[in-house]
Amino acid sequence: MLLRALRRATTTTAAASAAASSTLTKPPHFHLSTSRLFSANTTKANLTKAKKSKSKSDGKDRAEELQVTDTEFFVKQDEELRRRQLAEDENNPALDVGPNGRPLFTSTSSISLLSKKDACSYMKFSVEELNKVLPEGLPMGMVKEFEESSRSALLIRQSFLDLRDNFRRAVDPSLLVGSKGSKVRKQIVLDGPVSCGKSIALALLVHWAREEGWLVLYVPSGQEWTHGGFFYKNPQTGLWDTPVQAANILQDFSKYNESLLKKLKCNTLDPIPLGEGAGVGWPKGIDKMQISEDSTLYDLVQAGINNSHAAVGVLVRLRKELSDVKDIPVLIAIDQYNSWFTFSEYEEPVTVRSCRPVHARELATVNAFRSMLHENDMMVGAFSHSTAVGKLRQELPDVPTDARINFPRYNLDEAASVCHYYLRQRLVSHEAFSEENWKKIYYLSNGNGTEMRYLVPFMR
């Protein structure tokens, strides 16, 4: 009996041991616990790395921020030092030396008196005077040149002198006697590559014409006629009225020309149709504005400025009145003229889910001023490639076939004067400046004025 009990206990112990062994060696339990351990360790490691990485990233960003701040500080310090040195240089006329020892600045005091001998030299201007003669606004290229060179001076180019003399001969036919110049054009479109100086040449032409006593309508941004503000379709004309732009145009036109406009009588006395005002709807009880017999062009312009319903109608009538002025020369100068040959910012709803883009020619203001087919009117438009209009075809509607001329970039002689001027303005050191270096910049930029100004400080 004792032997049987001992055997039973041994069998039970062996079975329990085998069961325990089997339980410890089951693969699922082993792998599950290992997986959990691995996952926990990995997560902890990732969190640690992320914290370290974030700490490093924050430190790097902070270092870069401090570096940028330090760089801006030193650049500002250098610019202030440069300006102080330029102020001291003003007392030393020996520094005003251009290529081959020629004077860097012209002594001629007026644009009207400039001649061929002044080409490739710089003319000093007063910003206050420019703002007075061009209250509509200065071209961005001119403003950038003044800011970065720290002087309000512009290069006198032969291409500009040819443009000025063309309109001078158009007004005074006696100058054509014995002249071997090109054909006189009363309508000109200035085309050419980006940053070749079209806008600056146009602004200088307006400056000259106003010095001569001309009546000039100057539009420094033709694209503003096709963007922004309210727009309404006029059922009477089928065109789109933009009263906000019309009032602004009339306001700009009267700023410099007020004294001349007060001397000119209105030639057309027909009533001016009224349209929808800016945010005020149609006029009530009246649809036309009467013009009295003793009205001047100044009175007409003021009526359009003060009456939103009449702004567009007055501007359209003004275009006709300018063609009828015979007492003084009249010039219409439009910058960004190419923006009038593409679509405007406005859209006309067609269905609930679609709109039709409105072309610039469908705007009443653009439609009145875009055409250059008035034989006796003097008009010049400049293309601007900064408006992203794109390349237009050679023959444009409402423009004479021979009106489009190519305005060139800097030639080698002009580039020499430009680089010597930037040397004078301390954009480059005398040690780094050489004929070889400035020629490299000229050929690298292909005569692009903006790129040359940017590259000159990199001479080494």
Side-chain angles (χ1 to χ4, degrees):
M1 182 180 292
L2 180 61
L3 182 60
R4 191 180 299 129
L6 182 60
R7 286 178 180 175
R8 191 183 296 118
T10 303
T11 304
T12 304
T13 303
S17 177
S21 176
S22 175
T23 302
L24 290 174
T25 57
K26 280 186 178 180
H29 289 279
F30 173 79
H31 288 293
L32 179 60
S33 60
T34 305
S35 175
R36 286 176 178 172
L37 180 62
F38 178 78
S39 176
N41 291 339
T42 303
T43 304
K44 186 176 181 180
N46 286 343
L47 288 174
T48 305
K49 286 183 179 179
K51 290 180 180 179
K52 291 182 178 179
S53 176
K54 185 176 180 181
S55 177
K56 290 181 180 179
S57 177
D58 292 343
K60 185 178 180 181
D61 292 342
R62 180 60 179 167
E64 290 179 353
E65 183 180 347
L66 292 174
Q67 185 177 1
V68 170
T69 305
D70 291 342
T71 302
E72 291 177 350
F73 173 77
F74 287 119
V75 168
K76 186 176 181 180
Q77 290 289 88
D78 291 343
E79 186 63 24
E80 291 178 356
L81 175 62
R82 174 173 164 259
R83 292 184 183 278
R84 289 198 300 268
Q85 292 173 334
L86 287 174
E88 296 172 358
D89 292 345
E90 286 297 313
N91 301 321
N92 187 2
L95 298 175
D96 301 337
V97 180
N100 301 320
R102 298 196 311 267
L104 187 60
F105 299 97
T106 179
S107 58
T108 306
S109 59
S110 171
I111 299 179
S112 300
L113 301 176
L114 292 172
S115 62
K116 188 175 182 179
K117 66 180 180 62
D118 297 307
C120 294
S121 61
Y122 274 80
M123 186 173 187
K124 298 177 182 179
F125 291 90
S126 165
V127 176
E128 292 76 14
E129 177 200 357
L130 287 173
N131 288 328
K132 181 180 178 180
V133 180
L134 303 172
E136 298 90 344
L138 304 181
M140 186 54 62
M142 183 184 293
V143 175
K144 279 287 186 182
E145 173 69 18
F146 291 169
E147 289 178 353
E148 297 186 17
S149 65
S150 300
R151 182 190 289 272
S152 53
L154 296 171
L155 180 70
I156 303 303
R157 306 181 62 190
Q158 185 60 49
S159 50
F160 163 71
L161 297 178
D162 294 340
L163 180 66
R164 180 205 62 180
D165 293 341
N166 172 81
F167 286 100
R168 176 178 278 171
R169 291 194 298 269
V171 172
D172 188 358
S174 63
L175 298 176
L176 293 173
V177 179
S179 175
K180 297 181 181 180
S182 58
K183 174 186 174 183
V184 174
R185 296 181 174 92
K186 289 189 175 182
Q187 299 86 25
I188 288 180
V189 175
L190 296 177
D191 197 2
V194 63
S195 296
C196 67
K198 301 181 291 294
S199 296
I200 292 179
L202 184 67
L204 289 178
L205 181 69
V206 173
H207 191 298
W208 164 78
R210 286 178 170 171
E211 277 186 349
E212 295 289 297
W214 292 21
L215 179 63
V216 183
L217 174 68
Y218 175 47
V219 181
S221 177
Q223 193 176 47
E224 289 185 358
W225 288 38
T226 63
H227 287 66
F230 296 90
F231 62 105
Y232 311 103
K233 191 163 189 177
N234 192 320
Q236 299 173 356
T237 62
L239 300 174
W240 293 83
D241 291 349
T242 50
V244 174
Q245 281 86 342
N248 291 337
I249 295 162
L250 293 171
Q251 184 71 47
D252 288 343
F253 181 55
S254 65
K255 287 178 180 177
Y256 185 85
N257 299 305
E258 180 177 343
S259 59
L260 291 175
L261 293 174
K262 289 181 177 180
K263 299 176 183 177
L264 299 171
K265 296 288 186 179
C266 292
N267 291 295
T268 303
L269 303 179
D270 297 336
I272 294 178
L274 301 179
E276 193 168 353
V280 295
W282 287 89
K284 298 179 180 180
I286 185 173
D287 60 353
K288 291 183 180 180
M289 183 180 70
Q290 301 296 326
I291 304 296
S292 61
E293 293 184 1
D294 59 344
S295 295
T296 63
L297 291 186
Y298 179 76
D299 297 329
L300 178 67
V301 170
Q302 288 301 309
I305 295 173
N306 298 325
N307 187 348
S308 181
H309 299 292
V312 174
V314 166
L315 186 59
V316 173
R317 175 64 59 84
L318 179 64
R319 178 65 184 92
K320 186 177 186 305
E321 291 286 354
L322 292 179
S323 296
D324 295 335
V325 173
K326 306 300 180 187
D327 299 334
I328 56 176
V330 177
L331 175 67
I332 300 175
I334 312 294
D335 203 356
Q336 300 179 356
Y337 183 60
N338 51 337
S339 62
W340 291 1
F341 294 89
T342 185
F343 292 99
S344 69
E345 186 185 42
Y346 313 122
E347 294 181 337
E348 178 184 17
V350 178
T351 66
V352 177
R353 299 182 179 180
S354 65
C355 293
R356 179 188 69 87
V358 176
H359 199 278
R361 66 172 177 270
E362 299 178 65
L363 306 181
T365 53
V366 174
N367 185 269
F369 281 84
R370 191 180 77 164
S371 176
M372 287 189 175
L373 298 181
H374 305 83
E375 292 184 5
N376 296 322
D377 293 355
M378 290 185 292
M379 185 172 177
V380 55
F383 282 5
S384 174
H385 297 292
S386 61
T387 55
V389 169
K391 188 174 181 61
L392 300 176
R393 61 186 184 184
Q394 185 65 29
E395 295 183 2
L396 297 174
D398 304 324
V399 176
T401 55
D402 62 342
R404 199 164 171 177
I405 64 174
N406 189 61
F407 202 79
R409 285 180 172 174
Y410 291 146
N411 58 34
L412 195 61
D413 293 334
E414 291 172 338
S417 297
V418 169
C419 290
H420 279 79
Y421 173 69
Y422 291 150
L423 173 66
R424 167 66 180 81
Q425 294 305 112
R426 293 182 174 271
L427 288 177
V428 59
S429 66
H430 285 270
E431 294 77 13
F433 188 84
S434 66
E435 181 177 358
E436 180 183 1
N437 281 343
W438 73 252
K439 283 186 176 180
K440 287 180 180 178
I441 288 178
Y442 168 69
Y443 290 118
L444 182 63
S445 64
N446 195 25
N448 183 311
T450 302
E451 292 182 4
M452 286 186 64
R453 186 173 63 240
Y454 172 77
L455 290 172
V456 161
F458 291 99
M459 279 191 192
R460 294 294 184 267

